[in-house]
Amino acid sequence: MHAFDDTHELRTLRDWLRFSVSAFNEAELSFGHGSDNAYDEAVYLALHTLHLPLDTLEPFLDAQLTARERQALLDLLRRRVEQRVPAAYLTNEAWLGEFHFYVDERVIVPRSFIAELLRDGLAPWVDDSEQIISVLDMCTGSGCLAILAAHAFPNAEVDAVDLSADALDVAERNVADYGLQDRVRLVQSNLFEALEGERYDIILSNPPYVDAESVDALPQEYLHEPELALGSGADGLDATREILARAADHLHPGGLLIVEIGHNREALEAAYPDLPFTWLQVAAGDEFVFLLRREELLEKY
């Protein structure tokens, strides 16, 4: 473990960044909760702790830190290295593009590929974003996708559903931060159970999808996240199966179901060989998010 007892020699932001990267690499930290490497995470944590603009580093590199600033940064770095707390929980914020959200250990850290698709209003699958009037975000967690959907579809009412009351408390804070209380309704429900009779133009879901073997092998950082939001049965598809079975009953004619399933494309296609999944292109590839129309689901169910 990297020693933290000689940091009195570190004076400038440049010094602390170099030290942080060395400490992260020596501890063999796992990334994936906002950044994917030691340097980017060190920069983010330092700028956030010092209350500096997150997109401006160069002018401050050789600025000396005060004793109070050095202590604050040291305390945060120790938690990151010794307790392996994800950066988002240390700062209580996560970003999806230009949108930022409050997060803590009651919710999974936002990192959905669906956020990429919402930037363009789900084009070309949605012709006119203003014609969308009802959206469901299933397994909403922090409420991030519900909030993005409300911005992408300005005339839509959005239902944000989660089984966890704790998660909905976090989502409520984020919805309020964006002033969307009149358009985003928070619903505590085990998937569709509390939505009897509700119909939507679009159902979005980033459900739990980590298979049991992978859950057992997760790096320690991920164990800070709610277990309920990660694992979903032996093959990771339990929640997805329930969504597929019931989604058609909750979609308007022509409605869309869009679900993120992680690395489970092969297992999903093997389990549902007759469903004509459309795999949507995101930055990481075309095997993480699928789309089905209501009519395609009705042919199966």
Side-chain angles (χ1 to χ4, degrees):
M1 185 63 66
H2 197 90
F4 285 90
D5 56 3
D6 59 354
T7 56
H8 61 280
E9 300 178 21
L10 305 176
R11 295 297 177 186
T12 67
L13 176 55
R14 190 187 302 273
D15 292 338
W16 279 91
L17 287 178
R18 198 282 307 157
F19 174 85
S20 301
V21 173
S22 295
F24 292 173
N25 286 334
E26 183 178 355
E28 298 181 343
L29 298 185
S30 177
F31 304 100
H33 294 92
S35 61
D36 61 5
N37 63 84
Y39 175 76
D40 287 346
E41 186 145 306
V43 170
Y44 164 67
L45 290 175
L47 292 176
H48 182 279
T49 303
L50 299 174
H51 307 287
L52 295 172
L54 296 182
D55 60 354
T56 307
L57 174 62
E58 185 65 30
F60 307 110
L61 276 172
D62 294 311
Q64 294 196 26
L65 277 59
T66 68
R68 180 177 297 178
E69 289 173 334
R70 293 196 299 272
Q71 187 62 53
L73 190 52
L74 176 61
D75 291 344
L76 182 143
L77 293 176
R78 290 182 72 105
R79 290 188 64 204
R80 181 67 185 95
V81 170
E82 296 177 357
Q83 301 175 30
R84 295 182 179 264
V85 178
Y89 293 150
L90 294 173
T91 62
N92 292 123
E93 74 173 11
W95 292 79
L96 288 175
E98 298 179 354
F99 290 81
H100 66 92
F101 305 96
Y102 172 86
V103 295
D104 58 35
E105 295 187 22
R106 292 175 291 177
V107 295
I108 194 171
V109 177
R111 50 183 180 272
S112 176
F113 292 121
I114 295 174
E116 295 181 35
L117 303 168
L118 287 171
R119 291 174 198 161
D120 297 322
L122 299 180
W125 310 106
V126 172
D127 294 326
D128 184 353
S129 60
E130 295 189 358
Q131 295 299 312
I132 301 299
I133 62 170
S134 55
V135 177
L136 169 62
D137 175 22
M138 180 63 72
C139 306
T140 194
S142 62
C144 57
L145 292 183
I147 290 167
L148 293 181
H151 282 84
F153 307 113
N155 296 322
E157 301 293 324
V158 181
D159 281 354
V161 171
D162 206 284
L163 177 60
S164 167
D166 285 340
L168 290 173
D169 286 342
V170 175
E172 183 177 24
R173 175 171 177 165
N174 285 318
V175 169
D177 284 346
Y178 280 95
L180 290 169
Q181 300 96 317
D182 292 339
R183 293 184 53 213
V184 178
R185 180 178 68 132
L186 302 175
V187 181
Q188 185 175 6
S189 177
N190 184 3
L191 299 178
F192 292 101
E193 285 186 3
L195 298 177
E196 185 67 31
E198 299 288 350
R199 300 289 186 274
Y200 305 93
D201 296 325
I202 298 170
I203 296 175
L204 306 170
S205 186
N206 181 22
Y209 55 63
V210 183
D211 63 59
E213 182 179 356
S214 297
V215 167
D216 291 339
L218 284 172
Q220 188 174 342
E221 280 85 350
Y222 291 84
L223 302 183
H224 288 272
E225 296 186 290
E227 183 178 357
L228 184 67
L230 293 171
S232 190
D235 62 359
L237 294 176
D238 283 2
T240 302
R241 286 190 185 89
E242 182 69 12
I243 291 169
L244 287 171
R246 301 188 63 184
D249 292 336
H250 294 275
L251 284 168
H252 292 305
L256 304 177
L257 171 67
I258 297 171
V259 181
E260 182 170 333
I261 51 92
H263 295 278
N264 292 332
R265 174 173 176 171
E266 184 176 344
L268 184 67
E269 290 182 324
Y272 296 92
D274 298 327
L275 275 179
F277 297 105
T278 297
W279 294 94
L280 305 184
Q281 183 71 43
V282 295
D286 64 351
E287 55 188 61
F288 303 102
V289 182
F290 70 77
L291 176 148
L292 288 166
R293 297 187 181 276
R294 176 177 183 265
E295 289 69 25
E296 294 168 335
L297 285 164
L298 286 174
E299 293 178 5
K300 173 70 177 180
Y301 297 101

